[in-house]
Amino acid sequence: MSKQTFRKQNSHSTDRPFPVPISRTMWITLCLFTLFFLARIEALDCNAVPHWCSQANGSWTKCYEREITTCRQRLRNFNFHHLRVNVSQEAEKSVSNCRVNVPSSALQMSRGNVNDDEVLLVVTVLNSNFFQPAPAPGGGKGRSAGRSHHRSGTVLGDSVVVVKAGSRRVRDLLHPVRLTFRRDKEIEEAACVFWQETYLDDRTGYWSTEGCHTNVTQAEIVCCCDHLSFFAVVVNPVLSVEKASAPALRYISFTGSALSVLFTILALIIYARIQQRRPDKTVCVHLHLTGALLCLHLSFLLSSCWVLVLDVADEDWICKGLGLLLHCSLMATFLWMAVEGFHLYLLLVRVFNIYIKRYMLKLSLVAWGLPTLTAVLCVSFNVYGKHTIQLKGDDNHNSTVQLCWISSQFPQDLLISYITTAALPFLVVLFNFCMVCLVVFKMCGLRKRTRGGGSSSGWKKMNDDNWARLWRDGSTLLGLSCVLGLPWGLSGLTYVSLLGIYLFTVLNSLQGIFIFLWSLALTCKSRAEKNSSLRNTSSQKLMTISSNN
């Protein structure tokens, strides 16, 4: 071969594209694209599936059943269990306030034609807000033919238990699925139901009792159903806020809280001026209580308003922060009321030798520190979020009112709410009620001494001064009762009648105004001390005791 021929062949070989690097590049690009696509598919978090399916087209429940079998659980959720179980044994799992028992026959049916020893079982809990009831025919009154299985009412605990197994639909079981719900309050009626979507393309449905049997005991509600689905317990609580009364109660709460915010700010200014002129530990305690009450009403208004701008399924960090602030403010308010009672005890009972080193610092560590520590612990367990309140309408259709508070999705939300809104107020009100009784006892003793030990039959001979003294004593007791938080003791009336709910709402929403009136009384007394000497009366002695250390 000549050199010219070799050069010609060599030049052709260099001009020709080299196929190996291009083929390798294509394979690398294809692999990267595949990995990226698979990563996007697997990126759906299990906690985000409800919101994602609510935005997707088609059936919401079918989308949820499909996605929960392939989703990834990035953050630990105690109410979501994704596990593989043996089909020859009964599976048992507990979520929230429910224990689920799935028989082996249901697990075997769910695997279909695949002869596997294990099958995927998903047990989780959803909020009942995701399930929108369809309008009942005829305005929702009565039951039409063919709708005997339809039920309406309040979902127990706002919790819907989802049980999904395998890839095949499970129904008509000989050995039913058993769900055991814990009861936390008295109910009039309970029924085990599952969610059935309508044929309308509006994602609505209804609760049906078909295929489910209900057994109610004193402590539990046992549901036995012949299929796997979205299960819940529909109840009619003994205490329920009527839908017609909700707007009035909401208006009273918002208006009263707004007025309380305004008047507590004025009370803070008055107490600050009194404290500046004459430092006093009693006024300082009043100052802290007023500050806690201001935070309480302000956080309540913000929590109620902010939840209106969120979607049904959203729970952002602002709502959780407002729930934390509301919880912390409520506990701090109760503790400062207890401090007021303790301070009154020192002034009325011990009287002498009541000096305590760094007294206000220690009180502040207790009354502000404990609520803050409790709130931080609750944050670590993701307690705060949207809280749902059910409203019962005349047509047995329920609506909801939401608030940034303790999340209804949290398993122990009822326990935390009970401790915060029932147990702690009960102890504080009980202690402060004893202090008020002690004040009455002291006032009676002072009156007897001012009368020189006269007989107790002097009511008919009471002159104008005595009536004025009685009026001042009554006003003092009323003011002390508001400062000590005794109106919170009316919470027991909310379980008796609607009138009790109105009375409790009015008095406690206007507590800021009562604190302001008490600050005015202290201001008037301070001015009277400068202009004239104190009269030797029982009520004036009591005011001296309650405003001087």
Side-chain angles (χ1 to χ4, degrees):
M1 181 182 296
S2 63
K3 293 182 179 181
Q4 186 176 3
T5 305
F6 176 78
R7 290 175 180 174
K8 187 175 181 180
Q9 292 179 355
N10 193 22
S11 63
H12 285 302
S13 63
T14 55
D15 294 338
R16 187 184 307 161
F18 193 61
V20 176
I22 295 178
S23 177
R24 184 179 301 170
T25 303
M26 291 178 61
W27 277 108
I28 293 175
T29 304
L30 181 60
C31 290
L32 291 176
F33 180 80
T34 303
L35 291 175
F36 176 77
F37 180 76
L38 292 176
R40 289 295 301 271
I41 294 178
E42 296 179 355
L44 185 60
D45 187 11
C46 293
N47 296 326
V49 170
H51 182 67
W52 188 84
C53 287
S54 64
Q55 302 296 329
N57 297 325
S59 172
W60 183 88
T61 56
K62 292 181 180 179
C63 172
Y64 186 79
E65 288 181 332
R66 181 178 64 253
E67 295 297 333
I68 59 175
T69 58
T70 58
C71 66
R72 295 180 59 185
Q73 192 172 0
R74 296 180 179 178
L75 298 177
R76 186 176 182 182
N77 187 350
F78 295 99
N79 288 331
F80 191 95
H81 299 280
H82 202 265
L83 64 159
R84 298 193 66 85
V85 294
N86 196 319
V87 297
S88 62
Q89 299 177 358
E90 179 182 284
E92 179 178 340
K93 202 64 185 177
S94 297
V95 289
S96 187
N97 63 336
C98 176
R99 184 177 69 254
V100 181
N101 295 87
V102 183
S104 59
S105 58
L107 299 175
Q108 294 172 5
M109 183 182 296
S110 66
R111 64 182 179 178
N113 298 326
V114 181
N115 192 16
D116 290 338
D117 295 334
E118 292 184 346
V119 69
L120 177 65
L121 176 65
V122 181
V123 181
T124 183
V125 177
L126 291 176
N127 192 287
S128 59
N129 291 330
F130 288 104
F131 302 86
Q132 301 298 326
K141 297 181 180 180
R143 288 181 181 174
S144 59
R147 290 178 174 262
S148 59
H149 296 292
H150 293 204
R151 294 299 296 267
S152 61
T154 302
V155 176
L156 180 65
D158 299 326
S159 300
V160 179
V161 180
V162 184
V163 184
K164 168 69 176 176
S167 58
R168 183 181 176 184
R169 190 174 183 85
V170 178
R171 57 185 178 182
D172 300 329
L173 294 172
L174 296 179
H175 299 88
V177 179
R178 187 170 70 256
L179 299 94
T180 305
F181 294 86
R182 294 193 301 270
R183 292 178 57 179
D184 54 1
K185 56 185 176 181
E186 293 295 329
I187 56 177
E188 293 179 352
E189 184 181 0
C192 298
V193 294
F194 73 97
W195 183 252
Q196 180 67 49
E197 284 189 334
T198 61
Y199 294 102
L200 302 176
D201 193 17
D202 56 359
R203 299 193 172 196
T204 60
Y206 56 90
W207 295 110
S208 175
T209 59
E210 186 176 4
C212 291
H213 175 72
T214 307
N215 182 22
V216 181
T217 64
Q218 292 184 351
E220 296 177 334
I221 301 175
V222 181
C223 301
C224 296
C225 300
D226 61 357
H227 57 280
L228 300 183
S229 183
F230 297 76
F231 299 104
V233 175
V234 174
V235 298
N236 292 323
V238 174
L239 173 66
S240 61
V241 178
E242 295 294 336
K243 189 176 180 180
S245 302
L249 291 172
R250 192 181 302 117
Y251 177 79
I252 293 173
S253 299
F254 289 167
T255 304
S257 294
L259 292 175
S260 292
V261 168
L262 175 62
F263 282 98
T264 48
I265 293 175
L266 297 177
L268 281 175
I269 297 174
I270 293 174
Y271 285 136
R273 293 189 62 183
I274 296 176
Q275 184 70 9
Q276 185 178 7
R277 289 198 306 264
R278 188 182 61 182
D280 189 359
K281 292 180 181 178
T282 301
V283 177
C284 191
V285 173
H286 292 339
L287 195 64
H288 282 278
L289 174 60
T290 307
L293 199 61
L294 174 62
C295 294
L296 174 61
H297 287 286
L298 190 60
S299 59
F300 171 74
L301 291 175
L302 293 176
S303 300
S304 302
C305 295
W306 181 257
V307 78
L308 298 177
V309 304
L310 299 177
D311 294 333
V312 175
D314 286 346
E315 285 190 4
D316 62 349
W317 63 271
I318 298 180
C319 185
K320 294 181 179 180
L322 291 175
L324 181 149
L325 180 61
L326 181 59
H327 190 203
C328 186
S329 301
L330 184 62
M331 290 187 293
T333 301
F334 287 137
L335 289 179
W336 277 111
M337 290 176 183
V339 168
E340 289 275 3
F342 173 73
H343 189 69
L344 189 62
Y345 164 79
L346 293 180
L347 297 177
L348 290 178
V349 178
R350 293 187 59 176
V351 182
F352 302 104
N353 298 325
I354 61 174
Y355 173 76
I356 300 176
K357 187 177 181 180
R358 296 180 180 178
Y359 179 64
M360 289 307 305
L361 177 61
K362 294 178 180 178
L363 292 180
S364 299
L365 288 177
V366 173
W368 289 115
L370 288 181
T372 303
L373 180 61
T374 304
V376 170
L377 291 177
C378 291
V379 168
S380 62
F381 289 98
N382 198 21
V383 172
Y384 302 111
K386 279 188 177 181
H387 183 76
T388 304
I389 302 174
Q390 297 285 345
L391 302 177
K392 182 180 178 182
D394 295 334
D395 56 354
N396 287 331
H397 274 72
N398 297 327
S399 60
T400 59
V401 174
Q402 292 183 324
L403 176 73
C404 291
W405 171 240
I406 298 173
S407 176
S408 299
Q409 295 281 9
F410 187 70
Q412 305 298 332
D413 64 319
L414 293 176
L415 177 62
I416 298 178
S417 298
Y418 173 79
I419 295 174
T420 305
T421 61
L424 180 60
F426 173 77
L427 295 176
V428 172
V429 170
L430 180 62
F431 174 72
N432 288 347
F433 178 75
C434 295
M435 293 299 103
V436 172
C437 293
L438 183 61
V439 169
V440 174
F441 176 77
K442 291 287 185 179
M443 290 173 63
C444 292
L446 289 173
R447 180 171 290 119
K448 287 182 179 180
R449 286 196 293 270
T450 55
R451 286 203 301 257
S455 64
S456 59
S457 61
W459 289 98
K460 296 181 180 180
K461 301 179 181 179
M462 185 177 292
N463 53 25
D464 294 339
D465 291 338
N466 291 336
W467 280 110
R469 185 186 304 116
L470 182 62
W471 172 257
R472 287 193 298 269
D473 292 345
S475 301
T476 301
L477 283 177
L478 183 61
L480 275 177
S481 300
C482 295
V483 171
L484 297 177
L486 294 190
W488 285 92
L490 299 176
S491 59
L493 296 179
T494 59
Y495 294 90
V496 178
S497 64
L498 184 62
L499 179 61
I501 298 177
Y502 274 99
L503 186 62
F504 174 80
T505 303
V506 170
L507 291 179
N508 287 284
S509 61
L510 298 178
Q511 191 174 6
I513 300 179
F514 301 147
I515 294 292
F516 171 74
L517 295 177
W518 184 255
S519 66
L520 288 182
L522 292 182
T523 304
C524 295
K525 176 189 171 296
S526 178
R527 291 179 179 178
E529 287 178 347
K530 293 181 180 180
N531 298 331
S532 62
S533 60
L534 290 174
R535 296 180 180 178
N536 190 18
T537 59
S538 61
S539 63
Q540 288 175 339
K541 287 185 177 181
L542 177 62
M543 291 293 292
T544 303
I545 291 175
S546 63
S547 61
N548 293 286
N549 188 359

